[in-house]
Amino acid sequence: VSTNSVLNIIGEDFKNFSANAIVENAGTVLWNSPVLRADQTGLAFHNLPSGLFEVQSNAFNFHSENSPDFRPVFLNEGIIRKSEGAFTSIGNLAFTNNGTVDIQTGELRFWSGLTSTGLFTGNGIVELHGPVFGTLNGDNFVFKSDFLQGEFTLNGTLNWTGGIFDAGLTVSTNSVLNIIGEDFKNFSTNAIVENAGTIVWNSPSLRADQTGL
């Protein structure tokens, strides 16, 4: 998709990227359709530095039914903007953000983790699951169910309200990890938190299962 060009993904029918499909976007992709499924084992969607990928409606699901070892790749180097709708789910994709994810409203749920060196902006929520790597730059991250794994640095704010923490986390200077909510919190065997910022603990129970640091 060239600069100043537009790909509209619209209509109620499910959309499928087949095994050989690749989209390189230097223009604009507008996504206003309920389900977008990718079946590749490599790069499926590349949002280039000049590209805008905009989510414009509710209850989207961008996912793959491949096994975890053969997931398609979504690489963002431009801007992904969620401008409408309550939530969007990204599941079983290898998602890498080296640009900006601008969540203006609702929630963006990463069910299969992500890798990021870029920015997360806007008033919306970024819900984390699975393995997370790199640096999370932003103030609206939340972990509230399942497992959080990987190894990452927090530059901003993360609210841990539920789930099992099994990651290596560095809380950088001027960043905040809030451990909040009534659900019990669990550090699993691989969890390590290195804190150079602030941790606020306002939750009834915090359990650690490690044998070392």
Side-chain angles (χ1 to χ4, degrees), residues 12-210:
E12 294 302 312
D13 291 340
F14 287 9
K15 310 299 187 295
N16 290 275
F17 280 100
S18 191
N20 297 314
I22 298 175
V23 173
E24 302 267 358
N25 178 43
T28 299
V29 175
L30 302 179
W31 180 20
N32 192 349
S33 186
V35 173
L36 182 58
R37 191 177 76 181
D39 294 326
Q40 299 92 322
T41 58
L43 184 65
F45 197 99
H46 185 189
N47 201 38
L48 295 162
S50 62
L52 171 64
F53 185 94
E54 183 158 355
V55 180
Q56 293 188 323
S57 189
N58 189 28
F60 287 100
N61 189 357
F62 193 173
H63 76 286
S64 170
E65 295 183 359
N66 292 356
S67 69
D69 292 334
F70 299 96
R71 295 183 297 169
V73 175
F74 190 119
L75 173 59
N76 176 49
E77 296 179 315
I79 297 173
I80 296 175
R81 178 178 297 141
K82 178 172 165 53
S83 58
E84 299 181 34
F87 68 88
T88 299
S89 295
I90 297 177
N92 203 29
L93 298 177
F95 185 92
T96 297
N97 175 43
N98 296 328
T100 298
V101 178
D102 180 28
I103 306 169
Q104 298 181 346
T105 183
E107 292 186 9
L108 183 58
R109 299 171 178 172
F110 291 94
W111 286 106
S112 301
L114 73 150
T115 299
S116 183
T117 61
L119 299 174
F120 290 83
T121 62
N123 294 322
I125 301 298
V126 182
E127 185 177 333
L128 303 174
H129 300 264
V132 175
F133 295 96
T135 302
L136 295 183
N137 298 298
D139 290 320
N140 291 317
F141 299 104
V142 63
F143 169 51
K144 59 185 180 181
S145 65
D146 298 322
F147 284 85
L148 186 62
Q149 299 163 315
E151 186 172 351
F152 63 96
T153 297
L154 174 66
N155 284 333
T157 302
L158 169 60
N159 294 324
W160 178 14
T161 65
I164 298 174
F165 192 95
D166 195 35
L169 167 63
T170 299
V171 182
S172 65
T173 307
N174 300 319
S175 298
V176 180
L177 170 62
N178 292 309
I179 305 173
I180 55 178
E182 295 301 312
D183 291 341
F184 285 9
K185 312 300 185 298
N186 291 275
F187 281 102
S188 192
T189 53
N190 298 312
I192 299 176
V193 174
E194 302 273 358
N195 179 43
T198 300
I199 296 178
V200 178
W201 180 19
N202 189 356
S203 187
S205 178
L206 182 60
R207 189 179 75 181
D209 295 327
Q210 301 94 321

